[in-house]
C-alpha cells in the first residue's frame, strides 16, 4: 500500500455520494507497500479501505481481482469484500484512476514473525488454494517467469548503483532459474504476495488476508515458495527451518504437496526470490520523489536468493 495520487475532500465527497455507506468521518493515506494508492476511510457506517489503482495494475484485470475476493469470501476465506455502489457497481473512477472501496478487516500484521505465525499462514494459504478451485475465470501471472527478464532489462543499466556486480549476478541466476523452471505442476489461483503485511492476526489468531492485486493463475507450489521467502528468514537472513516446517506441515494438512512439488521447492523459491528482488530493484531506482511510499530494500532478496541457490533439495526447507 502507498499513496501516489492525492484525493481532495471535495472529490471524495462526490465519490461517496454514489454509495450507501454514510458520510466521511476520517480519511488518511496508508504509506505501507508500493503498488496502489490506499486510504483508510471511516464513515458514519463504519471503517473501509479506499484503493486507487496505479499504473502497474492493468484495469482489465480489476474485475477478476474483485470477483476472486468475493468468491473466496463466500467460501470462508476472510478477506476484504468489494463494496458496491447504489447501482451495483464496485469498480469506479476517482481522480483519474480506477478505484474501489472494500471492507476493513480488524487485526494487525506481525512486525516480528514467530514460528507460531507460520502454521496458520500455511493453513490459510492451502485453504485459499482449495477455495479457489471453482472460480472459473483465469488470469495470467504478469510477474511470473515470462516477466522476469523484461524486469531485469528495465533495471540492468543502473543495478550496480545498488550493489557492485549486482547486474551480472542477477543475469546468471535468472538464466539458471528459467532453465530449470517446472512446467508440469498443479495450477490454480494464487495470492502471489502473501507477505506478513498482508496477513492480519487478532488475539493470537489469523484474522484475515488482504491485498489480492497480484493474484493470478499459476503454479500452486510457487505460492508456497513466496511464503517461504516472506515468512521464514530471520533479520540476519538466516533461514529458519522450524518456521518452514510449521508452514509446510499446516499447508499439507489441507492440501497435500505432491512429490514433484516438494522436489521443485528450491527452484520455485529461487524464482520467488528473484521476482521480488527485481520489482524491489525497479522501485528502488524509480520511486517518484515525494511519494508517500515505503521503499523496500532489494538487497534483502539477494541474500535469500543466494540461500535458495545453495539448497540441494527439499530437505533444506524442513521436509
Amino acid at each position: 500500500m502507498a499513496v501516489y495520487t492525492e484525493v481532495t475532500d471535495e472529490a471524495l465527497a462526490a465519490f461517496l455520494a454514489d454509495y450507501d455507506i454514510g458520510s466521511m468521518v476520517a480519511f488518511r493515506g496508508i504509506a505501507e507497500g508500493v503498488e496502489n494508492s490506499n486510504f483508510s476511510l471511516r464513515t458514519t457506517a463504519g471503517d473501509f479501505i479506499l484503493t486507487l489503482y496505479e499504473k502497474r495494475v492493468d484495469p482489465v484485470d480489476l474485475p477478476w481481482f474483485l470477483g476472486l475476493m468475493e468468491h473466496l469470501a463466500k467460501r470462508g476465506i476472510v478477506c476484504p469484500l468489494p463494496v458496491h455502489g447504489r447501482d451495483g457497481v464496485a469498480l469506479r473512477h476517482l481522480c483519474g484512476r480506477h478505484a474501489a472501496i472494500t471492507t476493513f478487516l480488524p487485526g494487525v500484521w506481525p512486525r516480528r514473525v514467530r514460528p507460531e505465525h507460520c502454521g496458520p499462514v500455511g493453513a490459510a494459504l492451502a485453504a485459499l488454494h482449495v477455495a479457489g478451485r471453482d472460480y472459473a475465470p483465469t488470469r495470467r501471472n504478469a510477474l511470473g517467469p515470462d516477466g522476469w527478464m523484461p524486469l531485469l532489462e528495465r533495471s540492468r543499466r543502473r543495478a550496480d548503483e545498488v550493489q557492485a556486480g549486482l547486474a551480472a549476478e542477477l543475469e546468471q541466476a535468472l538464466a539458471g532459474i528459467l532453465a530449470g523452471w517446472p512446467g508440469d505442476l498443479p495450477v490454480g489461483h494464487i495470492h502471489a504476495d502473501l507477505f506478513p503485511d498482508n496477513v492480519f492476526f487478532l488475539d493470537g489468531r489469523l484474522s484475515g488476508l488482504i491485498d489480492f492485486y497480484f493474484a493470478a493463475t499459476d503454479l500452486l507450489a510457487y505460492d508456497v515458495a513466496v511464503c517461504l521467502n516472506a515468512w521464514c528468514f530471520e533479520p540476519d537472513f538466516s533461514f529458519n527451518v522450524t518456521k518452514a516446517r510449521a508452514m509446510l506441515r499446516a499447508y499439507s494438512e489441507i492440501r497435500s504437496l505432491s512429490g514433484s512439488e516438494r522436489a521443485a521447492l528450491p527452484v520455485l523459491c529461487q524464482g520467488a526470490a528473484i521476482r521480488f528482488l527485481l520489482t524491489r530493484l525497479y522501485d528502488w531506482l524509480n520511486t517518484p520523489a515525494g511519494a508517500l511510499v515505503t521503499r523496500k530494500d532489494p538487497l534483502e532478496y539477494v541474500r535469500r536468493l543466494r540461500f535458495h541457490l545453495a539448497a540441494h533439495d527439499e530437505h533444506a526447507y524442513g521436509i
Side-chain angles (χ1 to χ4, degrees):
M1 294 183 179
V3 174
Y4 295 101
T5 301
E6 296 293 337
V7 177
T8 66
D9 290 346
E10 294 78 12
L12 180 61
F15 185 75
L16 292 179
D18 291 328
Y19 292 87
D20 278 323
I21 58 172
S23 56
M24 183 180 66
V25 173
F27 183 67
R28 66 176 179 83
I30 302 172
E32 293 170 343
V34 296
E35 292 305 321
N36 300 310
S37 293
N38 287 272
F39 303 86
S40 173
L41 171 66
R42 174 168 292 178
T43 74
T44 51
D47 292 312
F48 303 90
I49 298 295
L50 169 64
T51 299
L52 276 64
Y53 301 103
E54 301 291 348
K55 58 185 179 180
R56 188 176 282 168
V57 178
D58 187 342
V60 173
D61 291 330
L62 291 173
W64 189 89
F65 295 135
L66 299 177
L68 177 65
M69 291 159 66
E70 291 187 324
H71 175 93
L72 294 174
K74 289 176 182 177
R75 282 152 180 78
I77 305 300
V78 183
C79 62
L81 267 175
V83 178
H84 295 259
R86 292 191 184 94
D87 58 1
V89 176
L91 183 60
R92 315 184 82 85
H93 289 85
L94 176 60
C95 297
R97 298 284 189 270
H98 287 79
I101 294 175
T102 58
T103 55
F104 174 84
L105 297 184
V108 295
W109 64 270
R111 267 61 177 180
R112 179 66 185 265
V113 174
R114 300 188 300 274
E116 54 264 36
H117 292 124
C118 295
V121 169
L125 184 68
L128 186 160
H129 290 167
V130 172
R133 285 174 178 168
D134 58 345
Y135 184 59
T138 61
R139 175 183 178 267
R140 184 184 71 86
N141 187 0
L143 289 173
D146 291 344
W148 297 339
M149 188 59 75
L151 269 174
L152 177 57
E153 291 299 331
R154 294 170 71 185
S155 299
R156 184 197 303 271
R157 183 176 59 84
R158 297 181 57 202
D160 287 4
E161 296 176 19
V162 178
Q163 179 176 278
L166 182 59
E169 181 175 359
L170 294 183
E171 186 172 10
Q172 180 178 0
L174 183 54
I177 293 167
L178 294 177
W181 196 252
D184 56 352
L185 301 181
V187 171
H189 301 313
I190 67 172
H191 185 284
D193 194 35
L194 203 60
F195 276 62
D197 56 356
N198 288 331
V199 180
F200 289 170
F201 286 80
L202 185 66
D203 297 330
R205 291 177 171 270
L206 192 150
S207 61
L209 312 177
I210 67 168
D211 200 354
F212 283 77
Y213 301 113
F214 286 115
T217 310
D218 206 337
L219 303 180
L220 294 173
Y222 171 70
D223 220 10
V224 176
V226 170
C227 287
L228 289 170
N229 273 283
W231 291 83
C232 298
F233 283 87
E234 295 302 310
D236 65 357
F237 302 105
S238 61
F239 187 75
N240 188 317
V241 176
T242 300
K243 291 179 179 179
R245 187 177 293 117
M247 178 179 291
L248 293 170
R249 182 181 295 123
Y251 181 95
S252 295
E253 288 175 355
I254 295 173
R255 178 191 171 267
S256 180
L257 287 168
S258 70
S260 296
E261 287 177 308
R262 294 194 298 271
L265 279 178
V267 71
L268 292 171
C269 285
Q270 294 164 24
I274 207 162
R275 171 263 186 263
F276 287 99
L277 197 167
L278 290 171
T279 50
R280 285 186 175 200
L281 177 62
Y282 179 83
D283 291 336
W284 189 266
L285 295 171
N286 295 281
T287 296
L292 179 57
V293 56
T294 303
R295 293 194 307 170
K296 296 182 178 180
D297 186 358
L299 296 182
E300 294 179 1
Y301 271 79
V302 173
R303 303 284 293 274
R304 287 166 167 82
L305 176 60
R306 290 170 179 169
F307 170 83
H308 299 309
L309 289 169
H312 296 296
D313 53 35
E314 67 267 32
H315 300 307
Y317 303 97
I319 294 178

